[in-house]
Amino acid sequence: MEPIAPEGALTSLGFTDLESRIYCELLRHGPASGYRLSQLVGKAPANVYQGLATLTQKGAVLVSDDASEKRTYSPLPPRQLLGLLRTAFDRRSTGALDALERVHEPSSDERVYSIHSAPQVIERARDMLNRADEIVLFDFFPQIYDLLRPEVDAARTRGVTVAGIAYEERYAEPGMPFNRESTELVGSRWPGLGLILIIDGCEYLVAQLSKDMASVLNAVWTDSVFLSCVFHSAVAADIRLVALRADPSDPLRHLSLQGATPPGLRRLLPATE
């Protein structure tokens, strides 16, 4: 990922282009008058003074205690500014959440929805784990598991039955058998990072993110009880088979995805042909 330009860092946080340029020039050159800043940014003094007034209201700049027109403006250090913005955002977010939840009427429409934002996939998975009441089944690639482990552990602590598949031996535990035969497939050959999550037989989320978790390759979510129960049954069976697969005499071993290597898998992994 390319580094963010200093001015772009502020515009992404809601500052105007001029406000961002003024603040960054103060960071580069130190305290300056409004007239000097108008020269640095190449804008009319009136516009710069208006931008400085807004930056002062936002707490991004300090103004010298001087009643004359030669007031000097100084930038708030970046770490302090981001802390200030974070506190203000958290306060506004709490108020907004309270207001929005007062009008939200949860409903189930049984439809299947595509999701196109990686952060939305992760946030929905977190929300599902936090809302689970009785049972959670999952199949997470290691990177996904690392990201969602706090919510998985919290569900266990609440007394929710939690079961999944471990693709690294260090994660293996009761209810989470180690899938040794898929370690290489998951670790290096699969085109993305997989996520399957079913809660309470009521909702399921299936997604594949890019390996840097920046984009969605495929993702669907539904609160269809029928489809969620079907997926629950399938993932539960897979978890149980992983646990049994340690027995080399398993007569149905060839039915696993790796064992059968069906055309769909070969399309995903051309190297297997």
Side-chain angles (χ1 to χ4, degrees):
M1 181 181 295
E2 294 184 3
I4 302 174
E7 288 80 2
L10 278 186
T11 55
S12 68
L13 296 175
F15 286 69
T16 68
D17 180 65
L18 180 57
E19 290 167 359
S20 301
R21 291 173 63 188
I22 292 171
Y23 179 78
C24 288
E25 290 301 334
L26 286 171
L27 291 180
R28 293 186 181 101
H29 300 284
S33 66
Y35 179 76
R36 172 60 177 155
L37 285 166
S38 72
Q39 294 178 317
L40 291 171
V41 301
K43 296 292 183 180
N47 293 337
V48 170
Y49 279 112
Q50 184 177 359
L52 284 166
T54 305
L55 286 169
T56 302
Q57 290 176 348
K58 292 179 177 180
V61 300
L62 303 175
V63 57
S64 64
D65 188 14
D66 187 344
S68 72
E69 293 182 358
K70 294 184 179 180
R71 286 177 174 171
T72 299
Y73 298 87
S74 179
L76 196 70
R79 191 172 297 276
Q80 290 184 36
L81 175 59
L82 269 294
L84 184 69
L85 295 176
R86 187 178 299 109
T87 299
F89 177 80
D90 289 344
R91 184 174 60 252
R92 291 195 301 270
S93 295
T94 299
L97 179 61
D98 291 342
L100 295 172
E101 286 195 330
R102 285 198 299 272
V103 298
H104 180 219
E105 293 292 341
S107 61
S108 173
D109 62 13
E110 298 278 316
R111 292 185 175 89
V112 177
Y113 291 93
S114 295
I115 302 176
H116 302 285
S117 161
Q120 188 181 45
V121 168
I122 297 301
E123 193 57 37
R124 183 167 290 274
R126 286 192 173 116
D127 179 64
M128 289 172 66
L129 288 164
N130 289 334
R131 288 187 290 103
D133 286 327
E134 296 185 20
I135 185 166
V136 168
L137 301 181
F138 67 85
D139 186 344
F140 296 158
F141 279 29
Q143 299 91 326
I144 302 291
Y145 182 63
D146 287 339
L147 195 62
L148 297 175
R149 189 165 186 174
E151 287 77 17
V152 172
D153 290 343
R156 286 195 184 101
T157 300
R158 295 197 309 272
V160 175
T161 298
V162 176
I165 296 173
Y167 293 105
E168 293 184 6
E169 194 163 11
R170 61 193 173 109
Y171 293 142
E173 58 183 72
M176 194 167 171
F178 175 43
N179 191 345
R180 187 180 303 277
E181 74 174 20
S182 294
T183 299
E184 180 193 5
L185 177 72
V186 166
S188 60
R189 296 174 60 201
W190 199 263
L193 302 179
L195 178 159
I196 301 175
L197 174 63
I198 308 100
I199 65 162
D200 297 328
C202 294
E203 297 177 43
Y204 82 76
L205 172 65
V206 180
Q208 183 177 206
L209 306 183
S210 60
K211 292 193 174 183
D212 62 1
M213 294 196 218
S215 60
V216 173
L217 303 181
N218 315 94
V220 295
W221 168 85
T222 185
D223 59 5
S224 165
V225 172
F226 170 71
L227 292 176
S228 298
C229 285
V230 170
F231 263 78
H232 179 112
S233 181
V235 172
D238 198 23
I239 294 169
R240 295 173 68 192
L241 284 173
V242 170
L244 293 171
R245 209 170 289 155
D247 180 2
S249 66
D250 176 8
L252 298 179
R253 191 183 189 93
H254 66 287
L255 295 181
S256 70
L257 186 65
Q258 290 257 108
T261 317
L265 179 61
R266 297 199 297 273
R267 287 173 60 186
L268 277 174
L269 309 171
T272 63
E273 294 182 338

